Amino acid sequence: MNNVLHKKTIVFVTPYFPPHGGGLEQYARAVAIRLQRDHAQKVVVITSGTQYGRDEKTEVDGLTVYRLGYSLKISNTPFGFLWPLKLWRILRKEAPALINVHTPVP
């Protein structure tokens, strides 16, 4: 991989992430871990937390994971009304070189 991604932060934005089960979740986890191990200084995951829950910042498999509480689901996609502001703040703080976005419903 080229040096643009070497020693940089990569952010994954995905509606669900383990321990939530499913193919998208396992794929995002596997790719994030591999990228952090082989190509990046830090991989950050931004995902949904629990409905009406508090936002959390944790570490999973060496990855920084932000879990954002949500208000509703639209076609199995969680959504929080304050997410645009929260995402902006997280992205500003983490300053990623690359953002990888996943959606459950095309």
Side-chain angles (χ1 to χ4, degrees):
M1 189 162 263
N2 68 36
N3 288 335
V4 172
L5 295 180
H6 186 65
K7 300 294 184 189
K8 301 291 183 183
T9 298
I10 299 171
V11 169
F12 276 68
V13 179
T14 181
Y16 301 106
F17 195 75
H20 195 277
L24 172 66
E25 296 81 358
Q26 296 306 318
Y27 168 79
R29 178 184 167 273
V31 172
I33 289 170
R34 182 79 184 258
L35 281 171
Q36 181 160 288
R37 184 185 72 211
D38 296 347
H39 301 291
Q41 179 179 1
K42 181 178 182 182
V43 174
V44 173
V45 177
I46 305 170
T47 189
S48 64
T50 58
Q51 190 168 23
Y52 309 116
R54 293 183 180 197
D55 300 340
E56 298 178 333
K57 179 181 175 185
T58 61
E59 187 174 305
V60 176
D61 298 320
L63 308 168
T64 300
V65 179
Y66 290 89
R67 296 186 189 275
L68 305 180
Y70 64 94
S71 306
L72 59 105
K73 280 188 184 180
I74 302 170
S75 187
N76 200 35
T77 302
F79 179 77
F81 293 103
L82 295 177
W83 278 10
L85 177 61
K86 292 176 182 184
L87 285 168
W88 180 81
R89 287 179 178 161
I90 293 168
L91 294 174
R92 187 169 177 212
K93 176 183 176 184
E94 299 294 346
L98 177 71
I99 301 172
N100 183 296
V101 179
H102 298 263
T103 61
V105 181

